[in-house]
Amino acid sequence: MTGFLEYVPGNSLLHRMNPVAKLFCALLISVACFCTSNLIFLACVLIFDFALAAHCKMTRQAMGLAKAVTIFSLILAVIQLLTNSTGMVLVPLPWGYIGTGGVIGAVTIILRLVAAAVPLFLVMYVTKMTDLANSVVKVLHVPYKYAFTFTSTVHFIPVFMNDMAGIMEAQTARGVQFDQGSIVKKIRLMVPLCIPLLVSSVRKTNSAAIAAEVRGFNLRTRESGYKQYPFATLDVVSLVICVCILVVAILLGVLL
Amino acid sequence: MIEFSHVSASYDGELAVLRDVSFRIEDGSFVAFVGTNGAGKSTTMRLINGLLKPTEGQVLIDGTPTTELKTSELAQRVGFLFQNPDRQICNNTVREEMMFGFKALGKESPEAEVRADEIMAAFGLNPDDDPFLLNRGTRQLLALASIIVLQPPVVVLDEPTTGLDFRECTKVMEIIRRLHERGTTVVMVCHDMEVVADYAESIIVMSAGRVLAQGPTYELLRDRVLTQEASLVAPQMVALSLALGSQHPQLANTAVGQANTLSEMERALGLEIAEGGEPR
Ligand SMILES: Nc1ncnc2c1ncn2[C@@H]1O[C@H](COP(=O)(O)OP(=O)(O)OP(=O)(O)O)[C@@H](O)[C@H]1O
Ligand SMILES: [Mg+2]
């Protein structure tokens, strides 16, 4: 089992693309999802997402992501359902009614968030973090400091998750009842554990910063990396396709 | 009593980290687990306190399988010191940290406070210190103290002395020895064979997820085939007496060839060696 947002090696089209192009394509698709509420368009994007995922043999990861985003967007969908009283009356409520408009709104939200999130996360799975950072520095001239901040943040997520799991284990072994009771109770028990987590994360980031500094972090410039990230035909074609998707989305949004 | 019968375990449900492990630890014994990095020692410790459940076989604590017990219930029977004290320490003062276990188990009482005070005094811990500002050795002592104060019948210690200097190491180990003398079962993981030889009554040798041998400490440490197979380095005095015994066969079965500790060797040779290694 690979970790959260951890690079999955492979040699698919997506793996071979230029990291910057990948990032832009994903962003274009995501933006496109927010430009229109056309359900058919969103469904098509979603199918496209999964076709890509299947192509790089990451259907499992994509499904996991889709599930997580769906759960998250359910909250928004329920709000939409309860407040958007338009269309045909389905269920009367004290302050209005659940209508077909609300249902469509709710489905749109879920579809849109999943369709927009999956490509962004997929990029993380098919790109090495260092490649992403270096190419952003090389191609987009982003100062290395910012690229590094981003990559180390992503890099630390699983580390902190691992730490939290370890801390919870240590406390369970001392008799803290994480293994029984309601979620509210568990969350109450977890609050004091944020202290060791905070302490260990501050210690870790601090020592990481010092370690980077003594190895000449500040000397690093755009010229430091030897690897070049040229755009290939594949990248240009992909970008054009994604721009087209965006244009279609905008047209759909304006026309409909 | 802790009993493993044909236990297999894995973290991800696929790759078995332990395979068919069986052993028994009697009440009141002092057992050390030894073996290379990744041999499965910590995994075995996690099985004892129920953080990990076996995929095959059974782990029995006083006859009850751990699968039938909640980890928080097991916590009352088995005190557990983790490799990293920072994962355990989570309170703002040493005193709160000492009382945390009682609070978690719902057993706060004036007697508990008194016991905590006694142990803090015995360990030389200042109740009002901030645990996060203590040095490594003292944090380890605090983590140990906050386990001992609960008086569990079994303590499991995962590398209690790693990263400590000689003085701190001796301090921790002497506390553990006294605990054992008062009847607590001690199960310990340790990479330092000198410490193991000095303190443990028996050892369990692990390698690549299996138990290679279980038996009295010196008997196993003198077994050259075994130590080779498990990549263990026998304590220096054992190595010396083994070497003397094999190079001078007439010594092999004498007190010199059988000496395991400095004092045994001194007695065998009829001389006294002072602390610096010079004959007195
Ligand atoms: N949380 C985990 N998830 C997956 N695999 C793990 C996990 N913890 C340990 N392992 C694997 O299980 C095996 C046994 O690890 P274990 O920690 O039990 O070894 P150990 O004998 O305690 O080693 P050490 O002396 O380094 O502490 C190792 O191969 C390790 O990579
Ligand atoms: Mg270990």
Side-chain angles (χ1 to χ4, degrees), chain B residues 129-185:
Chain B
D129 276 349
D130 182 341
F132 294 108
L133 301 178
L134 299 173
N135 69 35
R136 172 80 173 78
T138 318
R139 282 208 303 277
Q140 183 81 350
L141 270 182
L142 171 60
L144 180 62
S146 64
I147 299 287
I148 290 177
V149 72
L150 300 168
Q151 297 186 321
V154 179
V155 290
V156 175
L157 313 160
D158 199 348
E159 302 191 23
T161 61
T162 302
L164 302 188
D165 64 27
F166 179 71
R167 195 178 48 111
E168 299 284 354
C169 170
T170 313
K171 203 162 155 188
V172 167
M173 288 315 298
E174 284 304 321
I175 287 164
I176 295 167
R177 191 208 294 275
R178 256 173 280 142
L179 205 63
H180 171 239
E181 280 165 3
R182 273 187 258 121
T184 308
T185 310

CSV table of all heavy atoms in Angstrom, one decimal, chain B residues 129-185:
chain,number,residue,atom,x,y,z
B,129,ASP,N,8.6,20.5,36.6
B,129,ASP,CA,9.3,20.7,35.3
B,129,ASP,C,8.4,20.5,34.1
B,129,ASP,O,7.4,19.8,34.2
B,129,ASP,CB,10.5,19.7,35.2
B,129,ASP,CG,11.7,20.2,36.0
B,129,ASP,OD1,11.7,21.4,36.4
B,129,ASP,OD2,12.7,19.4,36.2
B,130,ASP,N,8.8,21.2,33.0
B,130,ASP,CA,8.1,21.0,31.8
B,130,ASP,C,8.8,19.8,31.1
B,130,ASP,O,10.0,19.8,30.7
B,130,ASP,CB,8.3,22.2,30.9
B,130,ASP,CG,7.5,22.1,29.6
B,130,ASP,OD1,7.2,21.0,29.2
B,130,ASP,OD2,7.2,23.1,29.0
B,131,PRO,N,8.0,18.7,30.8
B,131,PRO,CA,8.6,17.5,30.3
B,131,PRO,C,9.3,17.7,28.9
B,131,PRO,O,10.3,17.1,28.6
B,131,PRO,CB,7.4,16.6,30.0
B,131,PRO,CG,6.4,17.1,30.9
B,131,PRO,CD,6.6,18.6,31.1
B,132,PHE,N,8.8,18.7,28.2
B,132,PHE,CA,9.4,18.9,26.8
B,132,PHE,C,10.8,19.6,26.9
B,132,PHE,O,11.5,19.6,25.9
B,132,PHE,CB,8.4,19.7,25.9
B,132,PHE,CG,7.2,18.9,25.7
B,132,PHE,CD1,6.0,19.3,26.3
B,132,PHE,CD2,7.2,17.7,24.9
B,132,PHE,CE1,4.9,18.5,26.0
B,132,PHE,CE2,6.1,17.0,24.7
B,132,PHE,CZ,4.9,17.4,25.3
B,133,LEU,N,11.1,20.1,28.0
B,133,LEU,CA,12.4,20.8,28.1
B,133,LEU,C,13.4,19.9,28.8
B,133,LEU,O,14.6,20.3,28.9
B,133,LEU,CB,12.2,22.1,28.9
B,133,LEU,CG,11.3,23.1,28.3
B,133,LEU,CD1,11.1,24.4,29.1
B,133,LEU,CD2,11.7,23.5,26.9
B,134,LEU,N,13.0,18.7,29.2
B,134,LEU,CA,14.0,17.9,29.9
B,134,LEU,C,14.9,17.3,28.8
B,134,LEU,O,14.6,17.2,27.6
B,134,LEU,CB,13.3,16.7,30.6
B,134,LEU,CG,12.3,17.2,31.7
B,134,LEU,CD1,11.5,16.0,32.2
B,134,LEU,CD2,13.1,17.8,32.8
B,135,ASN,N,16.1,16.8,29.3
B,135,ASN,CA,17.0,16.1,28.3
B,135,ASN,C,16.5,14.7,28.0
B,135,ASN,O,15.6,14.2,28.6
B,135,ASN,CB,18.5,16.2,28.8
B,135,ASN,CG,18.7,15.3,30.0
B,135,ASN,OD1,18.1,14.2,30.1
B,135,ASN,ND2,19.5,15.7,30.9
B,136,ARG,N,17.2,14.1,27.0
B,136,ARG,CA,16.7,12.8,26.5
B,136,ARG,C,16.6,11.8,27.6
B,136,ARG,O,15.6,11.1,27.7
B,136,ARG,CB,17.7,12.4,25.4
B,136,ARG,CG,17.6,11.0,24.8
B,136,ARG,CD,16.4,11.0,23.8
B,136,ARG,NE,16.4,9.7,23.2
B,136,ARG,CZ,15.9,8.6,23.7
B,136,ARG,NH1,15.3,8.7,24.9
B,136,ARG,NH2,15.8,7.5,23.1
B,137,GLY,N,17.7,11.7,28.4
B,137,GLY,CA,17.7,10.6,29.4
B,137,GLY,C,16.6,10.8,30.4
B,137,GLY,O,15.9,9.9,30.8
B,138,THR,N,16.3,12.1,30.8
B,138,THR,CA,15.3,12.4,31.8
B,138,THR,C,13.9,12.1,31.2
B,138,THR,O,13.0,11.7,31.9
B,138,THR,CB,15.4,13.8,32.3
B,138,THR,OG1,16.8,14.1,32.5
B,138,THR,CG2,14.7,14.0,33.6
B,139,ARG,N,13.7,12.5,30.0
B,139,ARG,CA,12.4,12.2,29.4
B,139,ARG,C,12.2,10.7,29.3
B,139,ARG,O,11.0,10.2,29.6
B,139,ARG,CB,12.4,12.7,27.9
B,139,ARG,CG,12.2,14.2,27.8
B,139,ARG,CD,11.5,14.6,26.5
B,139,ARG,NE,12.2,14.1,25.3
B,139,ARG,CZ,13.2,14.8,24.8
B,139,ARG,NH1,13.6,15.9,25.3
B,139,ARG,NH2,13.7,14.3,23.7
B,140,GLN,N,13.2,9.9,29.1
B,140,GLN,CA,13.1,8.5,29.1
B,140,GLN,C,12.7,8.0,30.5
B,140,GLN,O,11.8,7.1,30.7
B,140,GLN,CB,14.4,7.8,28.6
B,140,GLN,CG,14.3,6.3,28.5
B,140,GLN,CD,13.7,5.9,27.2
B,140,GLN,OE1,13.1,6.7,26.5
B,140,GLN,NE2,13.8,4.6,26.9
B,141,LEU,N,13.4,8.6,31.5
B,141,LEU,CA,13.1,8.2,32.9
B,141,LEU,C,11.6,8.6,33.2
B,141,LEU,O,10.9,7.8,33.8
B,141,LEU,CB,14.0,9.0,33.8
B,141,LEU,CG,15.3,8.3,34.2
B,141,LEU,CD1,16.0,9.2,35.2
B,141,LEU,CD2,15.1,7.0,34.8
B,142,LEU,N,11.2,9.7,32.8
B,142,LEU,CA,9.8,10.2,33.0
B,142,LEU,C,8.8,9.2,32.4
B,142,LEU,O,7.8,8.8,33.0
B,142,LEU,CB,9.6,11.6,32.5
B,142,LEU,CG,8.1,12.1,32.6
B,142,LEU,CD1,7.6,12.1,34.0
B,142,LEU,CD2,8.0,13.5,32.0
B,143,ALA,N,9.1,8.9,31.1
B,143,ALA,CA,8.2,7.9,30.4
B,143,ALA,C,8.1,6.6,31.2
B,143,ALA,O,7.0,6.1,31.4
B,143,ALA,CB,8.6,7.7,29.0
B,144,LEU,N,9.2,6.1,31.7
B,144,LEU,CA,9.3,4.9,32.4
B,144,LEU,C,8.5,5.1,33.8
B,144,LEU,O,7.7,4.2,34.1
B,144,LEU,CB,10.7,4.5,32.7
B,144,LEU,CG,11.0,3.2,33.4
B,144,LEU,CD1,10.4,2.0,32.7
B,144,LEU,CD2,12.5,3.0,33.7
B,145,ALA,N,8.8,6.2,34.4
B,145,ALA,CA,8.2,6.4,35.7
B,145,ALA,C,6.6,6.4,35.6
B,145,ALA,O,5.9,5.9,36.4
B,145,ALA,CB,8.7,7.7,36.3
B,146,SER,N,6.2,7.1,34.5
B,146,SER,CA,4.7,7.2,34.4
B,146,SER,C,4.0,5.9,34.1
B,146,SER,O,2.8,5.7,34.2
B,146,SER,CB,4.4,8.3,33.4
B,146,SER,OG,4.8,7.9,32.1
B,147,ILE,N,4.8,4.9,33.6
B,147,ILE,CA,4.3,3.6,33.4
B,147,ILE,C,4.4,2.8,34.8
B,147,ILE,O,3.4,2.2,35.2
B,147,ILE,CB,5.2,2.8,32.4
B,147,ILE,CG1,5.2,3.5,31.0
B,147,ILE,CG2,4.7,1.4,32.3
B,147,ILE,CD1,3.9,3.4,30.3
B,148,ILE,N,5.5,2.9,35.4
B,148,ILE,CA,5.7,2.1,36.7
B,148,ILE,C,4.7,2.5,37.7
B,148,ILE,O,4.2,1.7,38.5
B,148,ILE,CB,7.1,2.3,37.2
B,148,ILE,CG1,8.1,1.6,36.2
B,148,ILE,CG2,7.3,1.8,38.6
B,148,ILE,CD1,9.6,1.8,36.6
B,149,VAL,N,4.3,3.8,37.8
B,149,VAL,CA,3.5,4.3,38.8
B,149,VAL,C,2.1,3.6,38.8
B,149,VAL,O,1.5,3.5,39.8
B,149,VAL,CB,3.3,5.8,38.7
B,149,VAL,CG1,2.5,6.2,37.5
B,149,VAL,CG2,2.8,6.4,40.0
B,150,LEU,N,1.7,3.1,37.7
B,150,LEU,CA,0.5,2.3,37.6
B,150,LEU,C,0.6,0.9,38.1
B,150,LEU,O,-0.4,0.2,38.2
B,150,LEU,CB,0.0,2.3,36.1
B,150,LEU,CG,-0.2,3.6,35.4
B,150,LEU,CD1,-0.4,3.5,33.9
B,150,LEU,CD2,-1.4,4.3,36.0
B,151,GLN,N,1.8,0.5,38.5
B,151,GLN,CA,2.0,-0.8,39.0
B,151,GLN,C,1.4,-2.0,38.2
B,151,GLN,O,0.7,-2.8,38.7
B,151,GLN,CB,1.5,-0.9,40.4
B,151,GLN,CG,2.3,0.0,41.3
B,151,GLN,CD,1.9,-0.2,42.8
B,151,GLN,OE1,0.7,-0.4,43.1
B,151,GLN,NE2,2.8,0.0,43.7
B,152,PRO,N,1.7,-2.0,36.9
B,152,PRO,CA,1.2,-3.1,36.1
B,152,PRO,C,2.0,-4.4,36.4
B,152,PRO,O,3.2,-4.3,36.7
B,152,PRO,CB,1.5,-2.7,34.6
B,152,PRO,CG,2.7,-1.8,34.7
B,152,PRO,CD,2.6,-1.1,36.1
B,153,PRO,N,1.3,-5.6,36.4
B,153,PRO,CA,2.1,-6.8,36.7
B,153,PRO,C,3.1,-7.2,35.6
B,153,PRO,O,4.1,-7.9,35.9
B,153,PRO,CB,1.0,-7.9,36.7
B,153,PRO,CG,-0.2,-7.2,36.2
B,153,PRO,CD,-0.1,-5.8,36.2
B,154,VAL,N,3.0,-6.6,34.4
B,154,VAL,CA,3.9,-6.9,33.3
B,154,VAL,C,4.4,-5.5,32.8
B,154,VAL,O,3.6,-4.7,32.5
B,154,VAL,CB,3.3,-7.7,32.2
B,154,VAL,CG1,4.3,-7.9,31.1
B,154,VAL,CG2,2.7,-9.0,32.7
B,155,VAL,N,5.7,-5.3,32.6
B,155,VAL,CA,6.1,-4.2,31.8
B,155,VAL,C,6.9,-4.6,30.6
B,155,VAL,O,7.7,-5.5,30.6
B,155,VAL,CB,7.0,-3.2,32.7
B,155,VAL,CG1,6.2,-2.5,33.7
B,155,VAL,CG2,8.2,-3.9,33.2
B,156,VAL,N,6.6,-3.9,29.5
B,156,VAL,CA,7.2,-4.2,28.2
B,156,VAL,C,8.0,-3.0,27.8
B,156,VAL,O,7.5,-1.9,27.8
B,156,VAL,CB,6.1,-4.5,27.1
B,156,VAL,CG1,6.8,-4.7,25.8
B,156,VAL,CG2,5.4,-5.8,27.5
B,157,LEU,N,9.3,-3.2,27.6
B,157,LEU,CA,10.2,-2.0,27.4
B,157,LEU,C,10.8,-2.2,26.0
B,157,LEU,O,11.6,-3.1,25.8
B,157,LEU,CB,11.2,-2.0,28.4
B,157,LEU,CG,10.7,-2.1,29.9
B,157,LEU,CD1,11.8,-2.5,30.8
B,157,LEU,CD2,10.1,-0.8,30.3
B,158,ASP,N,10.5,-1.3,25.1
B,158,ASP,CA,11.1,-1.4,23.8
B,158,ASP,C,12.4,-0.5,23.7
B,158,ASP,O,12.3,0.7,23.7
B,158,ASP,CB,10.1,-1.0,22.7
B,158,ASP,CG,10.6,-1.5,21.3
B,158,ASP,OD1,11.7,-1.9,21.2
B,158,ASP,OD2,9.7,-1.4,20.4
B,159,GLU,N,13.5,-1.1,23.8
B,159,GLU,CA,14.8,-0.4,23.8
B,159,GLU,C,14.8,0.7,24.8
B,159,GLU,O,15.0,1.9,24.4
B,159,GLU,CB,15.1,0.1,22.4
B,159,GLU,CG,15.1,-1.0,21.3
B,159,GLU,CD,15.7,-0.6,20.0
B,159,GLU,OE1,16.4,0.4,20.0
B,159,GLU,OE2,15.4,-1.3,19.0
B,160,PRO,N,14.8,0.4,26.1
B,160,PRO,CA,14.7,1.4,27.1
B,160,PRO,C,16.0,2.2,27.3
B,160,PRO,O,16.0,3.3,27.9
B,160,PRO,CB,14.4,0.6,28.4
B,160,PRO,CG,14.9,-0.8,28.1
B,160,PRO,CD,14.7,-1.0,26.7
B,161,THR,N,17.1,1.7,26.8
B,161,THR,CA,18.4,2.4,27.0
B,161,THR,C,19.0,3.0,25.8
B,161,THR,O,20.1,3.6,25.8
B,161,THR,CB,19.4,1.4,27.7
B,161,THR,OG1,19.6,0.3,26.7
B,161,THR,CG2,18.9,0.9,29.0
B,162,THR,N,18.4,2.8,24.6
B,162,THR,CA,19.0,3.3,23.4
B,162,THR,C,19.1,4.8,23.4
B,162,THR,O,18.1,5.5,23.8
B,162,THR,CB,18.1,2.9,22.2
B,162,THR,OG1,18.1,1.5,22.2
B,162,THR,CG2,18.7,3.4,20.9
B,163,GLY,N,20.2,5.4,23.1
B,163,GLY,CA,20.4,6.8,23.1
B,163,GLY,C,20.7,7.4,24.5
B,163,GLY,O,20.9,8.6,24.6
B,164,LEU,N,20.9,6.6,25.5
B,164,LEU,CA,21.2,7.1,26.8
B,164,LEU,C,22.7,6.9,27.0
B,164,LEU,O,23.3,5.9,26.6
B,164,LEU,CB,20.5,6.3,27.9
B,164,LEU,CG,18.9,6.4,27.8
B,164,LEU,CD1,18.4,5.8,29.1
B,164,LEU,CD2,18.4,7.8,27.6
B,165,ASP,N,23.3,7.8,27.8
B,165,ASP,CA,24.7,7.6,28.1
B,165,ASP,C,24.9,6.5,29.2
B,165,ASP,O,23.8,6.0,29.7
B,165,ASP,CB,25.4,8.9,28.6
B,165,ASP,CG,24.8,9.4,29.8
B,165,ASP,OD1,24.3,8.7,30.7
B,165,ASP,OD2,24.9,10.7,30.0
B,166,PHE,N,26.1,6.1,29.5
B,166,PHE,CA,26.3,5.0,30.4
B,166,PHE,C,25.6,5.2,31.8
B,166,PHE,O,24.9,4.3,32.3
B,166,PHE,CB,27.8,4.7,30.6
B,166,PHE,CG,28.1,3.6,31.6
B,166,PHE,CD1,27.8,2.3,31.2
B,166,PHE,CD2,28.5,3.8,32.8
B,166,PHE,CE1,28.1,1.2,32.0
B,166,PHE,CE2,28.8,2.8,33.7
B,166,PHE,CZ,28.5,1.5,33.3
B,167,ARG,N,25.7,6.4,32.3
B,167,ARG,CA,25.2,6.7,33.6
B,167,ARG,C,23.6,6.6,33.6
B,167,ARG,O,23.0,5.9,34.5
B,167,ARG,CB,25.6,8.1,34.1
B,167,ARG,CG,25.4,8.4,35.5
B,167,ARG,CD,26.0,9.8,35.8
B,167,ARG,NE,25.4,10.7,34.8
B,167,ARG,CZ,24.6,11.7,35.1
B,167,ARG,NH1,24.1,11.8,36.3
B,167,ARG,NH2,24.1,12.4,34.1
B,168,GLU,N,23.0,7.2,32.6
B,168,GLU,CA,21.5,7.2,32.5
B,168,GLU,C,21.1,5.7,32.3
B,168,GLU,O,20.1,5.3,32.8
B,168,GLU,CB,21.1,8.1,31.4
B,168,GLU,CG,21.4,9.5,31.5
B,168,GLU,CD,20.6,10.2,32.5
B,168,GLU,OE1,19.6,9.6,33.0
B,168,GLU,OE2,20.9,11.4,32.8
B,169,CYS,N,21.8,5.0,31.4
B,169,CYS,CA,21.5,3.6,31.1
B,169,CYS,C,21.5,2.8,32.4
B,169,CYS,O,20.5,2.0,32.6
B,169,CYS,CB,22.5,3.1,30.1
B,169,CYS,SG,22.4,1.4,29.8
B,170,THR,N,22.5,2.9,33.2
B,170,THR,CA,22.6,2.2,34.4
B,170,THR,C,21.4,2.5,35.4
B,170,THR,O,20.8,1.7,36.0
B,170,THR,CB,23.9,2.4,35.2
B,170,THR,OG1,25.0,2.4,34.2
B,170,THR,CG2,24.2,1.4,36.3
B,171,LYS,N,21.1,3.8,35.4
B,171,LYS,CA,20.0,4.3,36.3
B,171,LYS,C,18.7,3.6,35.9
B,171,LYS,O,18.0,3.1,36.7
B,171,LYS,CB,19.9,5.8,36.1
B,171,LYS,CG,19.3,6.5,37.3
B,171,LYS,CD,19.7,8.0,37.1
B,171,LYS,CE,18.7,8.9,37.8
B,171,LYS,NZ,19.0,10.4,37.4
B,172,VAL,N,18.4,3.7,34.6
B,172,VAL,CA,17.2,3.1,34.1
B,172,VAL,C,17.2,1.6,34.4
B,172,VAL,O,16.2,1.0,34.9
B,172,VAL,CB,17.0,3.3,32.6
B,172,VAL,CG1,15.9,2.5,32.0
B,172,VAL,CG2,16.7,4.8,32.3
B,173,MET,N,18.3,0.9,34.1
B,173,MET,CA,18.3,-0.6,34.2
B,173,MET,C,18.3,-1.0,35.7
B,173,MET,O,17.7,-2.0,36.0
B,173,MET,CB,19.6,-1.1,33.6
B,173,MET,CG,19.6,-1.1,32.1
B,173,MET,SD,18.0,-1.7,31.3
B,173,MET,CE,17.9,-3.4,31.9
B,174,GLU,N,18.9,-0.2,36.6
B,174,GLU,CA,18.8,-0.5,38.0
B,174,GLU,C,17.3,-0.4,38.5
B,174,GLU,O,16.9,-1.2,39.3
B,174,GLU,CB,19.7,0.3,38.9
B,174,GLU,CG,21.2,-0.1,38.8
B,174,GLU,CD,21.4,-1.5,39.1
B,174,GLU,OE1,20.8,-2.0,40.1
B,174,GLU,OE2,22.3,-2.2,38.4
B,175,ILE,N,16.6,0.6,38.0
B,175,ILE,CA,15.2,0.7,38.4
B,175,ILE,C,14.4,-0.5,37.9
B,175,ILE,O,13.6,-1.0,38.6
B,175,ILE,CB,14.6,2.0,37.8
B,175,ILE,CG1,15.2,3.2,38.6
B,175,ILE,CG2,13.1,2.0,37.8
B,175,ILE,CD1,15.0,4.6,37.9
B,176,ILE,N,14.7,-0.9,36.7
B,176,ILE,CA,14.0,-2.1,36.1
B,176,ILE,C,14.4,-3.3,36.9
B,176,ILE,O,13.5,-4.1,37.2
B,176,ILE,CB,14.4,-2.2,34.6
B,176,ILE,CG1,13.8,-1.0,33.8
B,176,ILE,CG2,13.8,-3.5,34.1
B,176,ILE,CD1,14.4,-0.9,32.4
B,177,ARG,N,15.6,-3.4,37.3
B,177,ARG,CA,16.0,-4.6,38.1
B,177,ARG,C,15.2,-4.7,39.4
B,177,ARG,O,14.7,-5.7,39.8
B,177,ARG,CB,17.5,-4.6,38.4
B,177,ARG,CG,18.0,-5.9,39.0
B,177,ARG,CD,19.2,-5.7,39.9
B,177,ARG,NE,20.4,-5.3,39.2
B,177,ARG,CZ,21.3,-6.1,38.6
B,177,ARG,NH1,21.1,-7.4,38.5
B,177,ARG,NH2,22.4,-5.6,38.0
B,178,ARG,N,15.1,-3.5,40.1
B,178,ARG,CA,14.4,-3.5,41.4
B,178,ARG,C,12.9,-3.8,41.1
B,178,ARG,O,12.3,-4.5,41.9
B,178,ARG,CB,14.5,-2.1,42.0
B,178,ARG,CG,15.5,-2.1,43.2
B,178,ARG,CD,15.8,-0.8,43.7
B,178,ARG,NE,16.7,0.0,42.9
B,178,ARG,CZ,16.6,1.3,42.6
B,178,ARG,NH1,15.6,2.0,43.1
B,178,ARG,NH2,17.5,1.8,41.8
B,179,LEU,N,12.4,-3.3,40.1
B,179,LEU,CA,11.0,-3.6,39.7
B,179,LEU,C,10.8,-5.1,39.6
B,179,LEU,O,9.9,-5.7,40.1
B,179,LEU,CB,10.7,-3.0,38.4
B,179,LEU,CG,9.3,-2.6,38.0
B,179,LEU,CD1,8.8,-1.5,39.0
B,179,LEU,CD2,9.2,-2.1,36.6
B,180,HIS,N,11.8,-5.8,38.9
B,180,HIS,CA,11.7,-7.2,38.7
B,180,HIS,C,11.8,-7.9,40.0
B,180,HIS,O,11.1,-8.9,40.3
B,180,HIS,CB,12.8,-7.6,37.7
B,180,HIS,CG,13.0,-9.1,37.6
B,180,HIS,ND1,14.2,-9.7,38.0
B,180,HIS,CD2,12.1,-10.1,37.3
B,180,HIS,CE1,14.0,-11.0,37.8
B,180,HIS,NE2,12.8,-11.2,37.4
B,181,GLU,N,12.7,-7.4,40.9
B,181,GLU,CA,12.9,-8.1,42.2
B,181,GLU,C,11.6,-8.1,43.0
B,181,GLU,O,11.4,-8.9,43.9
B,181,GLU,CB,14.1,-7.4,43.0
B,181,GLU,CG,15.4,-7.9,42.5
B,181,GLU,CD,16.6,-7.0,42.9
B,181,GLU,OE1,16.3,-6.1,43.7
B,181,GLU,OE2,17.7,-7.3,42.5
B,182,ARG,N,10.8,-7.0,42.8
B,182,ARG,CA,9.5,-6.9,43.5
B,182,ARG,C,8.4,-7.7,42.9
B,182,ARG,O,7.3,-7.6,43.3
B,182,ARG,CB,9.1,-5.5,43.7
B,182,ARG,CG,9.8,-4.9,45.0
B,182,ARG,CD,9.3,-3.5,45.3
B,182,ARG,NE,10.3,-2.5,44.9
B,182,ARG,CZ,10.0,-1.6,44.1
B,182,ARG,NH1,8.8,-1.4,43.5
B,182,ARG,NH2,10.9,-0.7,43.8
B,183,GLY,N,8.8,-8.5,41.8
B,183,GLY,CA,7.8,-9.4,41.3
B,183,GLY,C,7.2,-9.1,39.9
B,183,GLY,O,6.4,-9.8,39.4
B,184,THR,N,7.6,-7.9,39.4
B,184,THR,CA,7.0,-7.6,38.1
B,184,THR,C,7.7,-8.4,37.0
B,184,THR,O,8.9,-8.6,37.0
B,184,THR,CB,7.3,-6.1,37.8
B,184,THR,OG1,6.9,-5.3,38.9
B,184,THR,CG2,6.6,-5.6,36.6
B,185,THR,N,6.9,-8.8,36.0
B,185,THR,CA,7.4,-9.5,34.9
B,185,THR,C,8.0,-8.4,33.9
B,185,THR,O,7.3,-7.5,33.6
B,185,THR,CB,6.3,-10.3,34.1
B,185,THR,OG1,5.6,-11.1,35.1
B,185,THR,CG2,6.9,-11.1,33.0
